[in-house]
Amino acid sequence: MKLLTHIAQHADMNPEQIAFRTEGKALNYRKLWDRSRRLASLLQAIKVERQTPVVVYGHMGVDMPVSFLACVQVGLPYIPVDTSIPMERVRLIIEKSGAGLVINTTDNMLDVDNVPVLHSLALQLEEEEPIGNELWIKPDEVFYIIYTSGSTGNPKGVQITGANLQSFTDWMTSDFPLGQGKVFLNQAPFSFDLSVMDFYPALQSGGTIHALEKEVINKPKLLFENLSRSALQIWTSTPSFVQMCFPNPDFNQTMLPELEVFLFCGEVLPLAVAKELKERFPRARVFNTYGPTEATVAVTSIEITGDLLAKGKALPVGYPKSDMCIFVMDELGNPLPEGEKGELILAGPSVSKGYLGEPLLTESAFGTLNEMDTYRTGDAGFIQDDLVYCQGRLDYQIKLHGYRMELEEIEFHLNQSDYTKAAIIIPYAPNEEIEYLIAAVVPADHNFEKEYKLTAAIRKDLALRLPAYMIPRKFTYHTAIPMTMNGKVDRKKMKEEVFV
Ligand code: AMP
């Protein structure tokens, strides 16, 4: 596979170049490649059956990239699982994916049953003979699996093949001005596919991945000190993350003099954010990209120029990647003419094989058309002069501070709590952008004297199953959930009740 061949070549020609670094640790290309080949050899000795997923658990440690590359060198797809995911959800992912092995890159013990765990202490790899390239992942085999929120209450695993990823990486390194050997920001944990946007393009082009750990992101002082020392050239993040940096007036081209390119993906890039960036970073180019995890990170792109900003309209998400075909469909599945709003459908080599072990879910969202794989995004949008515009969702999937989630999944888990009879989630979005979530709850019988104690108990239940970013900030209590005439939950009425 080209991607792996390139990494091997960088290790050979430029061994001391840093491939991956965090606040405290760095791995050069020689070490990254050598360690991954030794771990691959160990994995082969463990005899996990080819194409059986391996869960790689950790945050941003250097053993994460080593483990990813080791897995794919012996034909095993990896599932990156961040430490911010609660243990019960981790266990569910292990069980549902049929993982044959867990590689734990943290210093903590992992409490999982029935699956062998390779602890980071076991990554004493000096003894192992580095593996060759005979067993590398083939283009039609699964390379990685990323779990995203699912409306039925369980996360769903999107399977990305070697060919999907190679097509994406080639597009990034050829259609964007990423150059060779540049320093890339990695903001998103590996369990989100935004991390793929910098990770593989950086490795294919011999660049350095500068990863921000959550301990750094959560402390503005540490974050800006880190950025000041970073010599970043390519910035990849959600628009929410860059907005989080704006309160600091020193966040500008003086802080990051070498910054050349901003790449955004994952949620709406507000016009005001793009404008402010152009003012603060006059030497940098800004790109908006769009795509779901199911179509390998991103499938459209556009450079946000002064002309586009001057139009003062909502920004388009861009032109399709050249091998992708994007069209708009009405509710009955008929293609719509230019300019008409409907559901965005993606077709071509970026589209995933589907959700792991979920044939029904896969069938409802994936298909084929003229021998191309297709994916129904659930995004509302239209196409004008070949430019794709995104206009929100057709379902209850949302983005909150850049995180993708299904309101129905949060509702499912709320309803599992002993303290609730019924519940629905209302996003609070005073100016289009969602600021936080409100849980409107009909409580079950309970003995709490104060409402805040009830809230604390429900929150505790949720925290067992959902990552912190999916837990509602506010809870309101009601006697009943309003229903529409045809017996469906009346979200509009509930919203009115919550906001009186
Ligand atoms: P994820 O799978 O986390 O990348 O989320 C994919 C969803 O995020 C898409 O289906 C869109 O709803 C939304 N999204 C991604 N990129 C953009 C963008 N540039 N503008 C607006 N929405 C976006």
Side-chain angles (χ1 to χ4, degrees):
M1 190 176 170
K2 177 176 166 187
L3 180 52
L4 297 178
T5 307
H6 276 241
I7 301 172
Q9 280 168 357
H10 299 311
D12 198 29
M13 321 253 293
N14 222 348
E16 299 309 317
Q17 161 92 353
I18 300 298
F20 181 84
R21 68 181 183 216
T22 60
E23 187 67 53
K25 282 196 174 161
L27 259 190
N28 62 29
Y29 272 87
R30 177 174 52 78
K31 282 196 190 139
L32 171 66
W33 192 239
D34 184 61
R35 294 191 60 196
S36 69
R37 290 175 70 207
R38 289 175 196 273
L39 177 56
S41 191
L42 184 65
L43 293 179
Q44 199 204 2
I46 294 174
K47 289 202 165 48
V48 180
E49 199 182 326
R50 194 171 177 91
Q51 284 289 288
T52 306
V54 173
V55 165
V56 180
Y57 180 76
H59 182 50
M60 295 259 184
V62 291
D63 286 342
M64 294 294 274
V66 168
S67 304
F68 300 162
L69 295 181
C71 289
V72 297
Q73 286 176 72
V74 286
L76 303 173
Y78 64 87
I79 306 176
V81 176
D82 190 70
T83 49
S84 59
I85 298 174
M87 266 329 284
E88 204 153 309
R89 198 176 176 89
V90 176
R91 285 191 208 103
L92 193 71
I93 290 174
I94 294 172
E95 187 194 313
K96 277 192 40 162
S97 66
L101 180 73
V102 177
I103 302 178
N104 175 12
T105 71
T106 71
D107 293 332
N108 304 322
M109 291 308 283
L110 261 190
D111 182 16
V112 296
D113 298 327
N114 306 329
V115 183
V117 179
L118 195 60
H119 192 268
S120 55
L121 294 178
L123 306 183
Q124 309 291 342
L125 304 168
E126 272 61 37
E127 315 272 283
E128 300 294 330
E129 272 299 308
I131 205 149
N133 60 4
E134 308 78 31
L135 299 174
W136 286 6
I137 288 267
K138 309 233 170 0
D140 61 341
E141 288 183 320
V142 182
F143 192 102
Y144 68 75
I145 300 157
I146 281 187
Y147 273 79
T148 73
S149 174
S151 57
T152 55
N154 290 328
K156 48 192 186 195
V158 181
Q159 308 178 87
I160 297 301
T161 64
N164 291 151
L165 179 62
Q166 192 61 61
S167 171
F168 169 74
T169 308
D170 287 345
W171 175 62
M172 290 299 296
T173 51
S174 64
D175 281 34
F176 297 81
L178 303 185
Q180 291 284 320
K182 300 277 165 109
V183 181
F184 289 68
L185 173 71
N186 181 84
Q187 167 252 316
F190 294 118
S191 47
F192 299 104
D193 86 335
L194 180 62
S195 64
V196 174
M197 183 166 252
D198 50 84
F199 193 81
Y200 287 108
L203 292 183
Q204 178 152 303
S205 61
T208 297
I209 299 154
H210 180 88
L212 293 179
E213 293 146 293
K214 59 173 184 281
E215 295 76 14
V216 174
I217 291 180
N218 292 340
K219 297 218 178 72
K221 190 164 172 284
L222 288 185
L223 171 65
F224 292 112
E225 272 171 18
N226 177 303
L227 290 178
S228 304
R229 284 182 275 111
S230 68
L232 278 183
Q233 290 164 301
I234 317 283
W235 176 289
T236 311
S237 81
T238 57
S240 290
F241 180 74
V242 89
Q243 259 174 297
M244 208 184 85
C245 297
F246 281 170
N248 181 350
D250 296 331
F251 177 68
N252 57 28
Q253 196 97 56
T254 313
M255 179 184 279
L256 294 165
E258 278 129 310
L259 199 73
E260 298 166 13
V261 172
F262 281 97
L263 300 172
F264 291 108
C265 192
E267 59 180 347
V268 177
L269 174 61
L271 187 78
V273 171
K275 258 192 186 150
E276 180 143 4
L277 273 179
K278 292 290 241 182
E279 281 160 21
R280 290 185 187 225
F281 294 88
R283 293 199 295 280
R285 297 168 71 179
V286 177
F287 292 84
N288 189 16
T289 74
Y290 153 85
T293 305
E294 287 85 341
T296 325
V297 193
V299 289
T300 70
S301 78
I302 185 165
E303 179 167 2
I304 307 300
T305 58
D307 283 353
L308 207 53
L309 290 175
K311 287 189 183 150
K313 293 203 189 119
L315 296 172
V317 296
Y319 298 99
K321 173 171 172 275
S322 66
D323 56 3
M324 287 295 289
C325 173
I326 301 185
F327 56 95
V328 180
M329 213 170 74
D330 69 12
E331 283 158 11
L332 300 172
N334 304 312
L336 287 170
E338 164 151 343
E340 279 192 34
K341 186 172 157 182
E343 181 174 6
L344 294 175
I345 311 293
L346 315 176
S350 292
V351 172
S352 144
K353 265 184 190 233
Y355 302 117
L356 178 63
E358 299 280 4
L360 295 179
L361 272 182
T362 300
E363 206 182 306
S364 64
F366 293 88
T368 50
L369 184 81
N370 303 335
E371 292 179 11
M372 282 187 295
D373 290 326
T374 59
Y375 174 66
R376 297 177 53 169
T377 60
D379 287 319
F382 65 93
I383 301 178
Q384 189 82 58
D385 300 327
D386 299 328
L387 263 182
V388 182
Y389 291 80
C390 213
Q391 295 184 308
R393 294 289 304 174
L394 295 163
D395 57 12
Y396 300 115
Q397 181 183 303
I398 59 148
K399 280 284 166 112
L400 174 63
H401 307 138
Y403 293 109
R404 167 173 163 176
M405 60 195 83
E406 302 275 352
L407 296 184
E408 289 145 303
E409 183 174 6
I410 309 173
E411 288 163 1
F412 173 87
H413 288 294
L414 262 175
N415 284 313
Q416 301 279 306
S417 167
D418 288 343
Y419 306 109
T420 60
K421 255 196 207 146
I424 59 173
I425 301 293
I426 311 283
Y428 177 65
N431 307 305
E432 301 222 339
E433 215 171 305
I434 300 174
E435 286 188 9
Y436 57 85
L437 301 180
I438 303 169
V441 174
V442 180
D445 295 338
H446 61 86
N447 297 323
F448 297 110
E449 283 159 22
K450 298 261 175 1
E451 231 170 46
Y452 77 87
K453 290 199 169 162
L454 172 62
T455 301
I458 301 177
R459 274 180 187 285
K460 209 167 149 204
D461 275 354
L462 284 184
L464 290 174
R465 298 183 185 90
L466 293 177
Y469 61 80
M470 287 175 79
I471 298 178
R473 185 189 295 179
K474 257 180 88 171
F475 285 70
T476 57
Y477 294 96
H478 309 264
T479 49
I481 301 279
M483 293 287 168
T484 60
M485 295 289 275
N486 59 9
K488 284 191 183 170
V489 169
D490 192 340
R491 288 177 184 268
K492 212 166 138 241
K493 193 123 180 258
M494 188 82 253
K495 202 167 157 186
E496 286 161 13
E497 263 186 47
V498 164
F499 292 125
V500 283

